[in-house]
Amino acid sequence: MIESPLLEKLTGYIGGRWTDSAQGNTFDVYNPATGEVIAKVPSMPAEDIEAAIAAGKSALKLTNPYSIETRRKWLEDIRDGLKDNREEIGRILCMEHGKPWKEAQGEVDYAAGFFDYCAKHIQALDAHTIPEKPKDCTWTVHYRPIGVAGLITPWNFPIGMIAKKLSAALAAGCPSVIKPASETPLTMIALFSLMDKLDLPDGMVNLVMGKASVIGKVLCESPDVPMLSFTGSTEVGRKLIVDTADQVKKLALELGGNAPYIVFEDADLDAAADNLIANKFRGGGQTCVCANRIFVHEKVADAFGEKLAERVNKMTVGDGMNEGVDIGPLVNKQGFDKVKRHLDDALQKGASLVAGKQPGELGDGLFFPPTVVLGVNRDMCCYQEETFGPLVPMALFRTEEEVIEAGNDTEFGLASYVFTADAERAQRVAAGLRFGHVGWNTGTGPTPEAPFGGMKASGIGREGGLEGLFEFVEPQTVPRGF
Ligand code: ADP
């Protein structure tokens, strides 16, 4: 069992108190590196979710709103708490998710960055007056908190994903009911341990854990929750759209991706390979922004494949708590089996193995070696579906038009990447790709400073940047006549 000063309580958190009425109904949290159960956390019943919403409602202040200074202080305090506890939170995160501990600590810094950004830009949410006087009016635009928000997060960035949502919700003055993924509730409990010591109003942040269907139903059906912010699969995103349609709830959805990574013949191949390694193997390839289809110009395919294989063969797979590990275990058996199925399918349909192991050589446990296959096409599962693992599938292309079309040949539109030395071509390709993020000669992902989100089936809304800051407010216009 995991021990930590940040995990002294393993319960929900409602109205400023550690509490739940699960009465011993729990679910297990595993360390994916060892398969051991490291904690048991409550599976909270519907009445707890309702209590959390009621607590949130009591913390919402409309006629006497929390000032900008007060909200900025909350954000700065959480930022500082994360920075001061980056090692311990990183350790907890590593143990329940599996990603290498250094990467986990980096995720804590990344999370702190969102609170910092919102604290520094919160003034943008202040009311402003429009100088024109149509019909002899002056118009004041207020940014009102939308109300109690349901924040539902996935397991792949246990602290990063909640930071994006919670920073913007608190900046707006919105109380929240937070549901972490069942695989990674401990990092969230650690965050609540920090917040418990801060001067946040009771009910401003509430933690619920348990069955997704139970929690999702209450959040979708409650008229007291006007907004849901969700990061996860497109399948669940679609369900939330349907289940909230009656109430016309505001939804912010960050859903699946199927990122193209395009390497033109004039690209710096070393840079393209280095960036691909960093992009693809972060979190063991279990991120929605990681390259999922690598399109390489046929003239440089062999050279690029060699550079990639050289780098991949030097990577170490193992328990993320150990020094020098680059890739930890996959989060669960279901995830492992999916990557294996994609590899198997690609090889059976004619792709060739450039680096890694044959499916039959994979060992027990959740450790999947970094794997590169060449000769991928659109009939293969790894081209059509998000693999969510350390498999690099390479396809060949000849022309710019062809690769833009191939890149867009997916219902998703989250992240994409283009490597070329030609600036004009980069501009054309970026404009042609229907993705919310197009890295040019970089595999970098989202940052607190810039809006990030998906087109098409990858979602609705943005996180980060001023756009993310404005997600949890309702603009209200107050024209004043004379
Ligand atoms: P992943 O494939 O990353 O696990 P999911 O979409 O299944 O993605 O899960 C993302 C988050 O959504 C998790 O916290 C999960 O428990 C939650 N979730 C899953 N189903 C529902 C649902 N019906 N309503 C609300 N939340 C859900």
Side-chain angles (χ1 to χ4, degrees):
M1 290 284 168
I2 188 168
E3 302 256 326
S4 166
L6 297 178
L7 298 177
E8 275 168 10
K9 300 276 198 299
L10 290 179
T11 68
Y13 188 87
I14 301 174
R17 287 177 44 234
W18 294 102
T19 177
D20 62 65
S21 48
Q23 295 182 328
N25 240 331
T26 59
F27 62 92
D28 294 340
V29 184
Y30 294 89
N31 178 342
T34 61
E36 281 163 6
V37 174
I38 53 172
K40 289 180 184 292
V41 298
S43 187
M44 296 163 70
E47 67 234 45
D48 278 349
I49 322 308
E50 281 153 13
I53 295 170
K57 203 174 165 194
S58 71
L60 179 67
K61 299 266 179 277
L62 292 177
T63 53
N64 178 24
Y66 301 108
S67 69
I68 290 257
E69 291 70 35
T70 300
R71 289 181 270 150
R72 184 187 291 122
K73 178 88 172 51
W74 298 340
L75 295 163
E76 289 171 347
D77 286 350
I78 298 175
R79 173 200 62 197
D80 295 345
L82 288 172
K83 283 186 173 172
D84 292 346
N85 291 276
R86 68 187 291 280
E87 287 181 13
E88 185 56 12
I89 299 177
R91 187 178 75 88
I92 295 167
L93 201 163
C94 170
M95 286 188 70
E96 65 177 351
H97 173 285
K99 67 177 74 175
W101 63 269
K102 270 192 196 155
E103 197 179 317
Q105 289 183 3
E107 189 186 327
V108 183
D109 299 335
Y110 176 67
F114 283 89
F115 291 98
D116 186 59
Y117 178 86
C118 287
K120 291 205 168 101
H121 293 82
I122 193 169
Q123 210 69 43
L125 296 179
D126 220 350
H128 64 92
T129 302
I130 296 172
E132 284 87 15
K133 290 192 175 179
K135 296 189 200 142
D136 274 343
C137 286
T138 46
W139 295 67
T140 304
V141 183
H142 296 274
Y143 295 103
R144 307 296 192 196
I146 190 164
V148 179
L151 311 182
I152 304 173
T153 57
W155 48 259
N156 62 348
F157 290 95
I159 193 77
M161 292 301 177
I162 187 58
K164 294 178 178 202
K165 298 176 192 312
L166 183 59
S167 57
L170 287 174
C174 289
S176 47
V177 176
I178 297 171
K179 182 213 161 314
S182 304
E183 291 83 353
T184 56
L186 302 178
T187 304
M188 195 71 85
I189 293 177
L191 171 65
F192 270 79
S193 295
L194 299 180
M195 296 197 296
D196 181 49
K197 301 204 168 53
L198 303 179
D199 198 14
L200 285 165
D202 290 349
M204 203 63 201
V205 290
N206 303 280
L207 170 64
V208 297
M209 295 171 286
K211 283 210 173 89
S213 53
V214 172
I215 299 172
K217 186 170 189 302
V218 179
L219 290 175
C220 286
E221 290 179 359
S222 171
D224 293 325
V225 180
M227 172 163 181
L228 290 184
S229 176
F230 166 83
T231 299
S233 61
T234 297
E235 186 195 348
V236 174
R238 286 197 169 106
K239 181 169 165 45
L240 296 178
I241 293 172
V242 171
D243 292 354
T244 57
D246 276 353
Q247 290 184 17
V248 195
K249 268 184 208 216
K250 178 165 179 185
L251 293 175
L253 304 174
E254 209 248 76
L255 309 176
N258 185 354
Y261 191 99
I262 303 171
V263 183
F264 280 97
E265 69 276 25
D266 62 350
D268 174 340
L269 296 186
D270 283 304
D274 287 340
N275 273 276
L276 182 55
I277 297 285
N279 166 286
K280 178 69 198 182
F281 298 113
R282 184 182 307 128
Q286 303 171 109
T287 79
C288 47
V289 296
C290 71
N292 201 59
R293 294 168 296 153
I294 292 75
F295 295 104
V296 190
H297 192 277
E298 61 176 8
K299 282 193 189 145
V300 295
D302 287 341
F304 187 67
E306 274 170 32
K307 286 179 188 297
L308 211 51
E310 203 179 287
R311 287 161 172 78
V312 159
N313 289 333
K314 286 188 194 143
M315 298 187 89
T316 308
V317 184
D319 185 333
M321 287 305 287
N322 294 339
E323 195 61 46
V325 164
D326 301 301
I327 302 179
L330 293 176
V331 79
N332 55 29
K333 178 89 170 66
Q334 199 186 342
F336 185 92
D337 289 347
K338 183 177 187 189
V339 189
K340 189 172 170 186
R341 175 170 63 80
H342 281 195
L343 174 61
D344 207 11
D345 171 78
L347 295 178
Q348 283 197 23
K349 289 178 180 160
S352 55
L353 192 66
V354 177
K357 289 184 177 161
Q358 292 285 343
E361 297 166 349
L362 295 168
D364 289 339
L366 300 176
F367 297 101
F368 205 108
T371 306
V372 182
V373 292
L374 183 61
V376 161
N377 62 47
R378 74 183 307 285
D379 297 331
M380 300 177 182
C381 297
C382 62
Y383 186 108
Q384 296 293 343
E385 301 168 27
E386 197 174 21
T387 300
F388 243 56
L391 172 65
V392 181
M394 291 201 289
L396 304 184
F397 75 93
R398 285 190 200 87
T399 67
E400 186 179 311
E401 296 71 33
E402 175 197 342
V403 81
I404 293 175
E405 201 181 318
N408 286 331
D409 179 21
T410 167
E411 66 170 330
F412 299 110
L414 195 58
S416 59
Y417 309 90
V418 182
F419 283 75
T420 175
D422 179 342
E424 283 180 17
R425 171 150 68 187
Q427 299 299 341
R428 279 194 307 272
V429 175
L433 288 172
R434 304 301 291 156
F435 289 80
H437 175 104
V438 190
W440 173 26
N441 292 341
T442 173
T444 196
T447 173
E449 290 77 19
F452 179 82
M455 296 185 188
K456 299 174 15 190
S458 286
I460 302 170
R462 294 292 181 268
E463 291 181 326
L466 287 178
E467 288 82 352
L469 187 62
F470 279 83
E471 279 287 342
F472 290 82
V473 293
E474 292 277 29
Q476 181 189 55
T477 47
V478 182
R480 180 184 165 201
F482 291 95

